[in-house]
Amino acid sequence: MTAMHPSPSPSVGAPGRIVIVGHGIAGLTAGDTLRREGFSGELTVIGQEPHDPYSRPALSKAMLEDLSTPSPGAVTEIEAQYLAAPSEGATVHAGRSAVGLDPEAQTVLLDDGGVLAYDGLVITSGARARRFTDSPDEYTLRGLDDARALRQRLAGRPAVIVIGGGPLGMEVASAAREAGCEVTLVHRGQPMRRHVGDVLAGLCTSAARDRGLHLVDASVTRVHRDAPDGGLDIELSTGGTLRAEVIVSAIGDAPNDEWLADSGLLTDGRLLIDDWGIVAPGVVAAGDVAWRRSGPGIQRRALWTDAIEQAKVAAEALLHGRSASPASYAPYFWTEQFGLNLRICGEVPAEVTPTVVDGDLAESRAVLQWEDPTQGGAAAAVNFRIPIPKLRRLARPAPAAA
Amino acid sequence: MAATVVAHLELDRPRCEGHGLCEEAAPDLMHLDDEGELVLDATDISEQDLEAARTAVRVCPVAALKLA
């Protein structure tokens, strides 16, 4: 509302115009936080997708609904789980992408030729699914349009090859099996191991096999389209080749940072944030696009809870600098696959055997706790409803209990 | 003295998966019971509780909470 150099709060260098690039959970949280912290200047949000903001984690599950009913013709549209609208008084440009940034002039260039001037910039442009080809028979699952397209295709009960055995790949495989598709999943090593450790990965794998998933232990070296029948050939590290009608690639994501290529803000091609989400003076970032230091290396971890924590801290830092608290991560993620509902707090040490705190693993219903002196603890609930704050307490190393 | 109600908190129960991130955001307004079911301890939201309620709505990964 105030056009020229307003001073919304007494904080140092409080900017008058803030642009948020991205309206996923990180961008939305940043907007909320800016308003909560007293920012009353112009707030502009660029949303790449034409849709109102929705929950991404809910997509892989929503994809399932109705598909398991025996009426393939009657596929209803996926109902997105829409998130609360961006913060009050924000101007939202949906269906627009940022294509360039000039940090000297403090402007963001949009794909429609528009130029937005900012005093403060929040980069939450997210990531996109990695893929092998541009074939229409290769699907990914990242956005609402992806979910809708894949669901339509699965309704015809094609044979499906899923590439990648992380949570997303296993969720998609589970959905496709439930829909009645023949499903093969290609993954080098044991699926889910990196995310949930040996014991739970074993549980996931046997549940998947019980439900008819074919597992191929190999990595994929190349996928190519072979004329004339339109199928895709998947070349494996083991030397074999699989022929697929439909493939779903769940092989991770790539940050949407190309628009920053000439900005001078990337460090070795990566958008690196500090513990406050700061990239450069007046520029912060959060969520899937951002890398952060972790021990000796750098890390980009695409978790709902991390995106929220980073966005909150980054927005505070944009207004108040490093006087606010740095980010404090308490990783949490969940997955539903092959009849298993897993909730995990902390980082599971793959090779450590967990203690069964409640329930019984043999019945696939248990609460597990890992103690690892080097990494801190972790805890998991398997088909067990438990308040997450309680699970978090189990995930903390013992001396911290209070 | 009753605070002025500025909004109402609504739960779409079938949608709720019991993650409990809302409880962490607004422990005075809601909690998960021993079964992991969400219980709203307040649905009439005062100005004072509005930010906590908004944060709880935002953090829900399945958009089960609404402020109306």
Side-chain angles (χ1 to χ4, degrees):
Chain A
M1 274 178 289
T2 323
M4 301 288 291
H5 307 98
S7 34
S9 70
S11 44
V12 186
R17 292 165 303 181
I18 296 180
V19 172
I20 301 176
V21 179
H23 74 346
I25 186 62
L28 293 169
T29 302
D32 290 351
T33 307
L34 289 168
R35 288 298 194 223
R36 193 185 64 220
E37 293 292 312
F39 171 69
S40 59
E42 282 178 41
L43 189 58
T44 306
V45 183
I46 314 299
Q48 188 174 5
E49 293 178 70
H51 311 293
D52 286 337
Y54 56 87
S55 164
R56 277 185 209 291
L59 285 178
S60 47
K61 196 195 288 177
M63 209 183 60
L64 266 174
E65 286 166 17
D66 299 340
L67 269 185
S68 45
T69 60
S71 53
V75 187
T76 52
E77 190 78 320
I78 282 182
E79 192 205 339
Q81 307 205 352
Y82 290 106
L83 302 174
S87 309
E88 49 194 292
T91 304
V92 180
H93 297 269
R96 290 269 75 88
S97 299
V99 294
L101 176 71
D102 183 340
E104 294 298 317
Q106 296 189 274
T107 51
V108 174
L109 179 63
L110 301 183
D111 58 353
D112 62 357
V115 175
L116 285 173
Y118 65 83
D119 301 301
L121 178 67
V122 182
I123 300 173
T124 51
S125 45
R128 62 184 176 282
R130 292 174 56 212
R131 51 189 302 139
F132 290 98
T133 71
D134 56 5
S135 163
D137 294 320
E138 179 182 5
Y139 291 79
T140 56
L141 182 51
R142 170 92 197 165
L144 183 55
D145 295 337
D146 300 334
R148 287 177 169 160
L150 179 57
R151 182 173 147 112
Q152 283 295 335
R153 188 68 186 266
L154 291 186
R157 311 291 187 267
V160 176
I161 295 184
V162 177
I163 303 175
L168 181 64
M170 289 289 272
E171 285 168 9
V172 170
S174 175
R177 270 307 292 153
E178 209 156 317
C181 302
E182 190 72 15
V183 186
T184 302
L185 185 137
V186 184
H187 181 83
R188 178 71 173 272
Q190 184 159 43
M192 295 295 295
R193 182 176 183 273
R194 190 165 65 81
H195 298 84
V196 300
D198 284 331
V199 170
L200 285 183
L203 195 68
C204 292
T205 309
S206 67
R209 285 212 175 91
D210 287 350
R211 289 176 183 233
L213 179 71
H214 306 295
L215 284 169
V216 173
D217 185 349
S219 45
V220 172
T221 51
R222 195 162 85 99
V223 176
H224 58 95
R225 198 170 198 177
D226 231 353
D229 68 349
L232 292 164
D233 281 333
I234 300 169
E235 290 178 12
L236 304 177
S237 55
T238 48
T241 299
L242 298 172
R243 168 59 65 94
E245 188 181 342
V246 169
I247 73 173
V248 182
S249 296
I251 50 170
D253 57 5
N256 293 325
D257 55 14
E258 290 77 5
W259 64 285
L260 300 168
D262 299 324
S263 68
L265 291 181
L266 302 184
T267 308
D268 298 329
R270 288 162 170 171
L271 186 66
L272 192 59
I273 57 174
D274 70 5
D275 289 344
W276 287 266
I278 295 172
V279 177
V283 182
V284 298
D288 294 359
V289 71
W291 296 81
R292 63 185 171 88
R293 292 186 197 288
S294 173
I298 64 171
Q299 183 184 40
R300 196 175 59 83
R301 189 168 62 187
L303 287 187
W304 177 266
T305 48
D306 280 7
I308 290 171
E309 172 69 8
Q310 279 175 351
K312 196 166 68 66
V313 169
E316 287 168 358
L318 189 59
L319 297 177
H320 311 308
R322 293 188 179 88
S323 59
S325 312
S328 154
Y329 295 99
Y332 169 62
F333 83 97
W334 62 96
T335 176
E336 278 194 58
Q337 49 180 273
F338 303 106
L340 296 171
N341 176 321
L342 304 183
R343 284 143 193 237
I344 317 279
C345 290
E347 289 187 52
V348 176
E351 285 157 23
V352 178
T353 303
T355 311
V356 178
V357 178
D358 203 345
D360 186 350
L361 257 189
E363 291 169 11
S364 298
R365 185 176 177 278
V367 177
L368 308 179
Q369 184 180 33
W370 287 262
E371 286 185 58
D372 179 348
T374 59
Q375 293 189 24
V382 181
N383 290 345
F384 207 107
R385 278 189 87 111
I386 178 175
I388 294 311
K390 198 169 161 188
L391 199 61
R392 280 212 207 281
R393 284 194 289 277
L394 285 171
R396 262 177 230 143
Chain B
M1 151 188 120
T4 313
V5 175
V6 295
H8 292 275
L9 191 60
E10 293 169 8
L11 168 64
D12 184 344
R13 190 165 292 284
R15 203 175 255 199
C16 175
E17 295 179 354
H19 293 288
L21 300 176
C22 57
E23 178 182 350
E24 292 184 315
D28 295 337
L29 302 179
M30 60 201 75
H31 72 279
L32 293 180
D33 67 14
D34 291 340
E35 305 294 306
E37 293 287 337
L38 182 62
V39 178
L40 296 184
D41 298 306
T43 52
D44 292 341
I45 304 301
S46 67
E47 183 69 44
Q48 191 195 331
D49 289 331
L50 189 58
E51 283 311 329
R54 278 200 182 127
T55 309
V57 168
R58 178 61 79 211
V59 81
C60 176
V62 291
L65 287 169
K66 257 197 194 79
L67 267 178

